[in-house]
Amino acid sequence: MKKDIHPEYHEINVVMTDGTSFKTRSTYGSAGDTLRLDIDPKTHPAWTGEHRLVDTGGQVAKFKKRFQGIGIK
C-alpha cells in the first residue's frame, strides 16, 4: 500500500434504532466515535417486508383529494 493516501481505519461503536449496539472497524470519524443509525435492517421495509406509508405534511391526503375523481370504471 502507498503511504499517507489511505484514511485511518479504527474501531467505532454503531447504535441501531432499537438501542442495541456493536463495535466494528471503519473509516468513519475517529477512534471510539459512535455512529447512530436512523434506518437499519431491523426497521427498513426493504429488509422487513413491511411497507409503512408515512404522510409528512399531508402529501398523501392532497394527492387523494386532487385525484379522487379519476379512476378506472
Side-chain angles (χ1 to χ4, degrees):
M1 269 187 350
K2 290 184 180 180
K3 300 264 185 218
D4 301 325
I5 66 165
H6 299 285
E8 181 187 346
Y9 192 63
H10 47 268
E11 192 171 89
I12 64 167
N13 298 315
V14 178
V15 178
M16 307 288 265
T17 56
D18 66 351
T20 59
S21 64
F22 62 92
K23 291 184 184 280
T24 189
R25 294 184 53 84
S26 174
T27 58
Y28 171 82
S30 58
D33 277 355
T34 301
L35 175 64
R36 296 187 184 279
L37 301 178
D38 293 330
I39 298 173
D40 65 25
K42 294 179 182 179
T43 60
H44 195 277
W47 288 284
T48 61
E50 298 174 13
H51 180 69
R52 294 178 300 204
L53 185 58
V54 178
D55 187 8
T56 57
Q59 294 295 317
V60 173
K62 276 190 216 175
F63 180 85
K64 286 181 178 178
K65 182 180 176 186
R66 183 173 179 188
F67 295 105
Q68 69 187 356
I70 297 174
I72 299 174
K73 294 179 181 179

